[in-house]
């Protein structure tokens, strides 16, 4: 009998496994309230159906924005602050570079901010920032135009810049969290597929969970006292009642080599020295544009100075395309129409300076692209807690395209729910009971 099994070792699952493994080792945990739960004989298992850090789910693509002045809901802020702290701790202990603190810039049409006809992202960010003392600056369109020559069509826009924000590297984070879990004695079974789970009552007050799995041509059934489901886009296969409130959508992330259009910018001494590039994180924050000219927000990430795959590339994407997809298709290649959608947004807002490049629509803008998935809930907020009808099963799903920045806190919250019966944060607003599931 295992004490705890974590199903799915992507963003949430890898950090849940790390948190569970820390219950075996107080010294590795810096959470003071855990000491009385330490049990060195605890049996901790993580199961992943592919190899960890694969590109079939929702946590690949080298970068994810993290920001604290949160427009989605100010209740997320404590979860994000703690997660940023955990990423910082992890990068120190594992000697890796997970965070790039280059700031986050939100740009939005003034009339939205003024009339409140639509939800104002900047207004909501300000409320979060004021409530949680997060350092932000408001920028006028003239300031935006002066400070960010990378963009165009910023007339009539307001900006909000958060300084202690930037991007986090998802694959490296998952790898680091799993390394800690292994060092702490957790067992990992990759290429094992959980087919289903079933709660079995031993008497009126007690129960355990039976987990059926397949691997290669074999199959087996194991038992665990507690189970955490962190199965991302596949969650509804294991918790069928959640299928009613989870919708998996296809998203595209694309990379553009800035050397193509930066060579004529006079201030750039040598485009190969990316530190001088206008698109290096020293000059460009992560950013998001909300405009009535686009159906969804347009966002992106500057050059990642640590990337060997994309050494001089920015990443761009549209937030929340509403195109449903079957996760078992494993993120099929990006189509020409999808590339065009992104190139149109790029042409609209980017000030590229190479005349030929600008005029000639035949030169491809995008150099590489990958599809990925958001798992959406009806209100865009996560599901975190016990699915209805279970006593020893806890799950996080429906991260709705904004969850990576919080995976350390979500993993910890699941483990705390399972072993302490309470969580340090106010997560009531994420309870699956709001949908009756
Ligand atoms: C293009 C894109 C951009 C994004 N940008 C941002 C951003 O800027 N900032 C941000 O905070 N968030 C962002 N997100 C959202 C964030 O990346 C996701 O919310 C997060 O990565 C989801 O993590 P997860 O653990 O739920 O899913 P995953 O990381 O996909 O993990 C689920 C894991 O479960 C495994 N699994 C599933 N079923 C089983 C089974 N039956 N048996 C065994 N294993 C199983 C899967 O193989 C997978 O490894 C973005 C997402 C996308 C797609």
């Amino acid at each position: 009998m295992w004490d705890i099994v974590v199903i799915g070792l992507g963003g949430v699952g890898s950090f849940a496994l790390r948190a569970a493994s820390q219950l075996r080792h107080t010294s590795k945990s810096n959470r003071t309230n855990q000491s009385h739960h330490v049990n060195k004989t605890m049996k901790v298992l993580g199961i992943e159906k592919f190899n960890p850090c694969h590109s079939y789910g929702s946590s690949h693509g080298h970068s994810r924005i993290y920001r604290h002045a949160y427009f989605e809901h100010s209740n997320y802020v404590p979860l994000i602050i703690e997660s940023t702290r955990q990423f910082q701790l992890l990068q120190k202990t594992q000697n890796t570079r997970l965070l790039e603190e280059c700031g986050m810039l939100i740009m939005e049409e003034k009339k939205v901010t003024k009339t409140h006809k639509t939800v104002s992202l900047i207004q909501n960010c300000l409320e979060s920032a004021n409530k949680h003392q997060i350092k932000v600056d408001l920028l006028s369109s003239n300031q935006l135009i002066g400070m960010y020559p990378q963009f165009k069509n910023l007339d009539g826009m307001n900006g909000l810049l958060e300084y202690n924000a930037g991007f986090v590297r998802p694959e490296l984070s998952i790898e680091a969290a799993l390394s800690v879990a292994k060092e702490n004695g957790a067992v990992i079974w990759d290429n094992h597929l959980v087919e289903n789970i079933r709660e079995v009552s031993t008497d009126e007050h007690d129960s355990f969970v039976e987990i059926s799995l397949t691997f290669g041509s074999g199959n087996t059934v194991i038992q665990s006292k507690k189970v955490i489901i962190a199965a991302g886009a596949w969650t509804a296969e294991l918790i069928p009642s959640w299928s009613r409130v989870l919708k998996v959508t296809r998203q595209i992330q694309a990379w553009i080599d800035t050397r193509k259009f930066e060579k004529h910018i006079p201030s750039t001494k040598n485009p190969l020295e990316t530190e001088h590039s206008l698109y290096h994180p020293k000059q460009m924050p992560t950013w998001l544009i909300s405009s009535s000219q686009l159906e969804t927000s347009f966002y992106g990430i500057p050059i990642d100075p640590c990337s060997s795959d994309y050494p001089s590339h920015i990443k761009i994407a549209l937030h929340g395309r509403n195109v449903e997809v079957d996760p078992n298709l494993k993120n099929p290649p990006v189509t020409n129409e999808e590339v065009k959608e992104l190139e149109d947004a790029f042409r609209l807002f980017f000030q590229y300076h190479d005349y030929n490049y600008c005029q000639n629509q035949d030169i491809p803008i995008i150099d590489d692209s990958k599809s990925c998935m958001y798992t959406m809930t009806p209100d865009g907020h996560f599901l975190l807690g016990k699915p209805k009808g279970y006593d020893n099963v806890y799950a996080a799903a429906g991260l709705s395209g904004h969850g990576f920045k919080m995976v350390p806190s979500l993993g910890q919250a699941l483990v705390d729910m399972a072993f302490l019966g309470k969580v340090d944060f106010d997560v009531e607003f994420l309870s699956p009971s709001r949908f009756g599931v």
Side-chain angles (χ1 to χ4, degrees):
M1 173 84 72
W2 294 89
D3 289 289
I4 183 157
V5 172
V6 177
I7 302 173
L9 300 179
V12 177
S14 58
F15 279 86
L17 195 71
R18 168 180 175 259
S21 76
Q22 283 169 333
L23 294 176
R24 304 177 91 247
H25 278 248
T26 6
S27 58
K28 292 278 166 66
S29 165
N30 63 346
R31 304 177 79 240
T32 47
N33 62 350
Q34 269 186 4
S35 48
H36 57 287
H37 292 277
V38 170
N39 175 354
K40 288 192 186 240
T41 61
M42 225 176 109
K43 290 181 70 189
V44 178
L45 171 66
I47 306 177
E48 167 55 50
K49 69 172 169 172
F50 302 116
N51 286 312
C53 301
H54 60 82
S55 55
Y56 303 133
S58 303
S59 297
H60 59 284
H62 306 289
S63 50
R64 294 290 186 264
I65 294 173
Y66 74 98
R67 54 193 163 85
H68 306 84
Y70 220 51
F71 56 77
E72 289 85 346
H73 199 305
S74 65
N75 281 6
Y76 285 109
V77 179
L79 291 153
I80 307 174
I81 291 174
E82 173 58 16
S83 291
T84 304
R85 203 178 72 81
Q86 289 297 329
F87 283 127
Q88 282 163 347
L89 190 72
L90 191 58
Q91 67 182 0
K92 229 187 226 166
T93 60
Q94 298 305 106
N95 195 22
T96 177
R97 198 160 147 194
L98 304 181
L99 298 176
E100 198 69 36
E101 196 183 80
C102 54
M104 169 72 190
L105 175 65
I106 293 185
M107 294 173 276
E108 169 181 75
E109 279 163 5
K110 259 183 217 156
K111 50 180 189 267
V112 176
T113 325
K114 263 198 176 148
T115 62
H116 290 274
K117 264 190 196 142
T118 334
V119 178
S120 162
L121 304 184
I122 290 184
Q123 199 53 44
N124 287 1
C125 286
L126 272 180
E127 278 164 28
S128 279
N130 290 338
K131 196 165 163 191
H132 296 280
Q133 289 89 48
I134 296 158
K135 188 166 162 33
V136 292
D137 269 347
L138 279 176
L139 301 173
S140 66
S141 52
N142 280 344
Q143 285 172 308
L144 288 173
I145 292 164
M147 288 166 71
Y148 300 108
Q150 302 88 342
F151 298 102
K152 66 180 179 193
N153 287 331
L154 299 183
D155 281 334
M157 292 261 182
N158 278 331
L160 178 131
L161 179 64
E162 182 192 335
Y163 295 89
N164 302 117
F167 64 90
V168 51
R169 299 182 177 89
E171 291 91 341
L172 293 183
S173 302
I174 292 171
E175 208 175 277
L178 292 179
S179 292
V180 172
K182 271 194 267 186
E183 283 164 23
N184 287 344
V187 176
I188 293 177
W189 291 350
D190 52 27
N191 294 300
H192 281 59
L193 169 74
V194 174
E195 297 280 1
N196 60 63
I197 56 159
R198 187 172 75 94
E199 215 157 47
V200 181
S201 299
T202 45
D203 59 45
E204 235 177 86
H205 305 292
D206 216 0
S207 61
F208 63 87
V209 187
E210 226 174 53
I211 303 162
S212 310
L213 7 121
T214 54
F215 51 96
S217 55
N219 56 66
T220 187
V221 177
I222 58 169
Q223 297 173 344
S224 182
K225 290 179 191 158
K226 308 274 181 193
V227 165
I228 286 175
I229 299 180
W234 292 270
T235 302
E237 292 179 2
L238 298 174
I239 313 171
S241 63
W242 282 17
S243 64
R244 186 164 69 71
V245 291
L246 294 178
K247 178 172 157 187
V248 180
T249 62
R250 176 172 160 87
Q251 309 297 327
I252 312 301
Q253 39 192 344
W255 288 263
I256 301 174
D257 191 342
T258 59
R259 283 175 296 185
K260 281 192 301 203
F261 52 93
E262 209 183 18
K263 58 188 172 206
H264 295 305
I265 299 175
S267 65
T268 308
K269 294 181 190 95
N270 175 0
L272 294 174
E273 287 172 26
T274 55
E275 262 194 53
H276 300 294
S277 161
L278 276 177
Y279 307 91
H280 188 276
K282 284 195 174 151
Q283 327 281 343
M284 185 189 207
T286 55
W287 52 272
L288 179 141
I289 296 174
S290 170
S291 158
S292 54
Q293 298 189 66
L294 296 172
E295 271 176 39
T296 63
S297 310
F298 177 44
Y299 70 94
I301 291 176
I303 291 169
D304 179 351
C306 296
S307 173
S308 49
D309 292 349
Y310 303 110
S312 47
H313 300 61
I314 53 169
K315 184 168 118 174
I316 62 168
L318 292 164
H319 179 51
R321 301 167 71 247
N322 188 14
V323 178
E324 210 160 346
V325 71
D326 174 358
N328 290 317
L329 293 177
K330 292 170 116 179
N331 287 329
V334 176
T335 65
N336 290 341
E337 290 72 40
E338 289 168 331
V339 165
K340 185 174 178 309
E341 202 179 27
L342 272 170
E343 289 189 340
D344 287 348
F346 180 84
R347 282 202 177 88
L348 195 55
F349 286 107
F350 265 80
Q351 187 78 55
Y352 39 89
H353 292 248
D354 181 329
Y355 182 76
N356 289 326
Y357 185 71
C358 175
Q359 293 300 308
N360 188 349
Q361 304 274 320
D362 294 335
I363 299 178
I365 289 176
I366 286 171
D367 296 285
D368 196 10
S369 54
K370 289 191 169 81
S371 68
C372 191
M373 293 175 286
Y374 283 3
T375 307
M376 302 301 299
T377 62
D379 58 10
H381 297 305
F382 312 161
L383 296 181
L384 177 73
K386 250 189 221 187
K388 196 174 175 181
Y390 290 96
D391 285 328
N392 295 304
V393 177
Y394 304 81
L399 270 49
S400 302
H402 61 108
F404 199 88
K405 65 182 80 59
M406 282 174 261
V407 293
S409 299
L410 295 176
Q412 186 68 59
L414 289 164
V415 169
D416 286 352
M417 281 177 188
F419 288 99
L420 305 179
K422 67 182 174 69
V423 178
D424 283 348
F425 309 103
D426 173 9
V427 289
E428 197 45 43
F429 75 117
L430 305 177
S431 169
S433 65
R434 73 188 187 278
F435 298 119
V437 296

